Amino acid sequence: MRDVKSVVSCLFVLLLVVLQQCCVNAEDPYRFYSWRIHYGFVYPLGVKQQVIMINGQFPGPQINAVTNDNLIISVYNALGEPFLLSWNGLQHRRNSWQDGVYGTSCPIPPRHNFTYMLQAKDQIGSFYYFPSLGMHKASGGFGAIKIFSRYRIPVPFAQPAGDHTVLAGDWYKRSHRQLKMILDAGHALPAPDGILINGQGWNGYTFSVDQGKTYRFRISNVGLTTSINFRIQGHTMKLVETEGSHTLQNSYGSLDVHLGQSYSVLVTANQAPKDYYIVVSSRLASPVRTTTAILHYSNSRAQVWGPPPRGPTSQVYSSLAQARSIRWNLTASGPRPNPQGSYHYGLIKTQRTIMLVNSAPWINGKQRYAINSVSFVPGDTPLKLADYFNIGGVFNLGSMPDRPSYGGAYLTTSVMAADFRSFVEIVFQNWEDSVQSYHIDGHAFFVVGMDGGQWTPASRSRYNLRDTVARSTTQVYPKSWTAIYMALDNVGMWNIRSENWARQYLGQQFYLRVYSPAHSWRDEYPIPKNALLCGRARGRHTRPF
């Protein structure tokens, strides 16, 4: 009898081991997408325009994922010209190969297919994708990315009755080719012609709600040149998330969303049953452009009428005060079941301070934009490929200085060297009269401080070292500075850029090479088998398996 019990006990233990191995080694779920990129015609501002569509949609299809999901996105380029997609806010852990900017990836040739293999690794939140090559972004091709928390990971608010996407931004009646010609000729872009909400102009889009219920609105500024202000007539908005960070749930009557930024707010339909304006207007820019959508109560008895509610326009201080009020929810779980505040960023000693100063120089008789007097020009081969294949002469490490020299501006393919697992302080200093917006691929950073005037080491005494949010895009106000802390925990070649796409196109960007000497798959994935090879990497081989 004892032998039988012993055998049963051993079998039970063996079964537990097998089940444990099965669960530990099981792959995360896969989601498959098949997209055709092509031109189509729409009337967003009342005139017929050619736009970039995906599967006939403008904006493109929405990506819905859960933390750690694998996203397999097959893209067929039917535009008749090279094309690239990038994923604003996705960190591509150990995988800058999939970042989708020219510094890491060859463009997809016309009439060719390429499959992106992404993973929403350890992320939640609201993001978007967009075409990154040339000025394609001016013609659409963008869409929303929603990453939901895994089952049983607590979220710090009740499940909303609905989840609405708001892709808003400035818009030009000119095509991306015409805008590119203006920039290539050495001129700045004119003011945009209007603002779109989900590809529609004035009162063109409707969001339906039921009275008494609460809804989540995910707002992204997908425009080219302009910060925006978002508001809903007669309603307040409770901020709950920004680019993957759960926030303290402050309420706002209007919300500034700078270029490239994404926010989630909760809105309760607690007003009289009628229709209300949703308003988006330009912020800290002239002239002020405005557009509207409709918040429609399902039991509405009246349409919108009269002028839409006015919002802030040129007041910098109110925007700065709002930005400072956006804080991390230290008790909420992120993508894992532990409080966000368990990562004590303020107790980590920074190993390096990088000062980045933007400028708008003229070089060779043409308008350019620069960081630390360096105006970026693309190499003849994607930098990541040149680095992998040891192709010399494409870029030089150290071609992007840590600090401004305030000397004459010049053109080069600028790359800054950085060490894996270092913890750095980056200060963005803006001496221009316009608000700037910066994005860093592959990372989330902590916005520890922002203020007017000149940053000095004494400015650190005003840093928020307790509960600032972690995000991937930050604004820098006119004649002001913004400081961030960032852990360089992701090996790869990563783009640091202005989210003002004209400035990015004319040189206000560079690449950060986060390097590990281990050359281990633990630190970075190998080159994908299907990687496109172009420039001086053409004719080489990726890997056999």
Side-chain angles (χ1 to χ4, degrees):
M1 193 63 169
R2 289 182 179 175
D3 291 340
V4 173
K5 289 182 177 179
S6 178
V7 170
V8 170
S9 178
C10 288
L11 288 174
F12 181 70
V13 171
L14 180 61
L15 178 61
L16 286 178
V17 171
V18 171
L19 287 174
Q20 185 182 39
Q21 289 298 318
C22 174
C23 294
V24 168
N25 294 328
E27 283 194 275
D28 293 300
Y30 281 76
R31 297 176 186 263
F32 295 89
Y33 299 85
S34 183
W35 289 355
R36 182 176 182 270
I37 315 296
H38 61 97
Y39 284 117
F41 290 93
V42 295
Y43 294 78
L45 292 179
V47 297
K48 186 177 181 180
Q49 286 186 260
Q50 186 186 66
V51 300
I52 296 174
M53 292 185 168
I54 303 177
N55 293 352
Q57 299 179 46
F58 169 72
Q62 184 169 279
I63 294 176
N64 293 318
V66 175
T67 300
N68 290 349
D69 278 0
N70 294 285
L71 307 175
I72 310 301
I73 305 172
S74 178
V75 177
Y76 178 77
N77 178 14
L79 291 183
E81 57 198 273
F83 182 78
L84 267 177
L85 276 176
S86 191
W87 321 90
N88 213 68
L90 261 65
Q91 293 180 16
H92 309 295
R93 307 298 301 175
R94 300 185 292 164
N95 200 10
S96 65
W97 303 104
Q98 305 293 342
D99 199 23
V101 290
Y102 181 69
T104 61
S105 310
C106 294
I108 307 171
R111 299 177 300 281
H112 282 70
N113 186 88
F114 179 75
T115 299
Y116 290 94
M117 292 170 283
L118 318 175
Q119 188 181 23
K121 180 67 174 171
D122 289 338
Q123 285 190 268
I124 58 166
S126 309
F127 310 97
Y128 66 92
Y129 62 86
F130 68 98
S132 64
L133 204 61
M135 291 297 291
H136 277 157
K137 190 180 181 185
S139 290
F142 46 75
I145 303 173
K146 298 179 181 179
I147 306 177
F148 297 91
S149 295
R150 289 176 291 175
Y151 179 62
R152 293 184 178 176
I153 301 296
V155 175
F157 50 87
Q159 178 70 23
D163 196 312
H164 294 298
T165 294
V166 182
L167 299 175
D170 56 26
W171 189 257
Y172 288 83
K173 294 179 181 179
R174 295 175 176 89
S175 70
H176 71 87
R177 298 185 188 90
Q178 292 172 314
L179 296 178
K180 183 175 179 294
M181 288 175 63
I182 293 172
L183 295 173
D184 288 343
H187 305 296
L189 290 184
D193 297 301
I195 293 176
L196 302 185
I197 299 175
N198 290 351
Q200 304 287 327
W202 198 273
N203 285 357
Y205 198 90
T206 298
F207 299 89
S208 295
V209 297
D210 294 333
Q211 191 173 26
K213 295 183 178 180
T214 298
Y215 295 81
R216 183 174 184 170
F217 284 77
R218 300 175 188 252
I219 310 152
S220 295
N221 185 342
V222 296
L224 288 184
T225 65
T226 312
S227 297
I228 59 175
N229 179 267
F230 179 90
R231 52 199 181 272
I232 302 178
Q233 183 182 28
H235 295 72
T236 58
M237 301 174 290
K238 183 182 290 184
L239 183 65
V240 295
E241 177 259 332
T242 174
E243 297 165 30
S245 292
H246 290 306
T247 64
L248 290 182
Q249 295 179 13
N250 298 327
S251 293
Y252 301 93
S254 69
L255 188 65
D256 289 346
V257 187
H258 301 278
L259 285 165
Q261 292 184 338
S262 297
Y263 290 93
S264 283
V265 298
L266 297 180
V267 178
T268 300
N270 55 7
Q271 300 300 304
K274 62 176 186 177
D275 291 357
Y276 296 87
Y277 284 116
I278 294 177
V279 188
V280 176
S281 57
S282 50
R283 188 75 164 94
L284 305 174
S286 181
V288 176
R289 305 295 190 195
T290 303
T291 195
T292 59
I294 303 299
L295 184 72
H296 170 72
Y297 279 53
S298 59
N299 58 343
S300 173
R301 299 172 185 171
Q303 295 180 336
V304 293
W305 63 278
R310 298 182 65 182
T313 54
S314 60
Q315 306 88 346
V316 172
Y317 183 76
S318 61
S319 185
L320 174 61
Q322 183 180 90
R324 287 172 171 167
S325 73
I326 298 171
R327 302 295 183 91
W328 224 15
N329 186 337
L330 299 182
T331 62
S333 294
R336 297 180 180 181
N338 56 286
Q340 295 185 128
S342 62
Y343 183 82
H344 300 292
Y345 69 91
L347 300 179
I348 304 173
K349 184 178 180 180
T350 56
Q351 297 162 283
R352 179 181 179 185
T353 295
I354 300 168
M355 172 78 73
L356 303 176
V357 180
N358 53 277
S359 59
W362 282 68
I363 301 176
N364 299 328
K366 292 185 177 182
Q367 176 70 71
R368 295 287 301 186
Y369 298 98
I371 300 174
N372 290 357
S373 300
V374 183
S375 187
F376 181 86
V377 290
D380 60 12
T381 304
L383 309 181
K384 184 63 180 170
L385 294 179
D387 200 25
Y388 177 79
F389 290 116
N390 294 315
I391 301 172
V394 177
F395 70 91
N396 292 313
L397 289 175
S399 51
M400 182 67 208
D402 274 20
R403 294 182 176 275
S405 64
Y406 298 104
Y410 57 94
L411 305 172
T412 195
T413 305
S414 42
V415 178
M416 181 180 290
D419 295 327
F420 182 42
R421 294 199 179 100
S422 62
F423 193 76
V424 300
E425 174 187 46
I426 300 178
V427 179
F428 297 100
Q429 180 75 60
N430 176 21
W431 289 119
E432 298 185 67
D433 293 326
S434 58
V435 63
Q436 305 292 312
S437 188
Y438 284 96
H439 178 86
I440 300 181
D441 282 350
H443 296 79
F445 50 74
F446 296 94
V447 186
V448 293
M450 54 178 64
D451 208 344
Q454 169 76 56
W455 180 91
T456 68
S459 303
R460 295 184 179 121
S461 65
R462 303 195 298 275
Y463 282 3
N464 177 359
L465 299 181
R466 180 176 183 271
D467 63 351
T468 191
V469 291
R471 63 188 314 165
S472 58
T473 308
T474 187
Q475 71 273 30
V476 191
Y477 290 102
K479 292 183 167 55
S480 300
W481 58 266
T482 293
I484 67 173
Y485 280 177
M486 185 169 71
L488 301 181
D489 56 0
N490 200 6
V491 173
M493 186 77 70
W494 302 109
N495 191 219
I496 298 182
R497 62 174 177 267
S498 170
E499 285 286 73
N500 181 313
W501 214 246
R503 298 180 77 104
Q504 180 274 156
Y505 179 76
L506 290 183
Q508 196 170 311
Q509 61 169 310
F510 67 94
Y511 282 82
L512 185 71
R513 179 184 183 254
V514 181
Y515 178 72
S516 169
H519 300 291
S520 168
W521 287 18
R522 179 194 61 192
D523 296 337
E524 184 178 28
Y525 291 138
I527 186 171
K529 289 186 294 184
N530 69 332
L532 299 172
L533 302 179
C534 57
R536 284 189 269 167
R538 195 185 308 275
R540 297 174 185 253
H541 301 286
T542 56
R543 58 188 176 91
F545 57 90

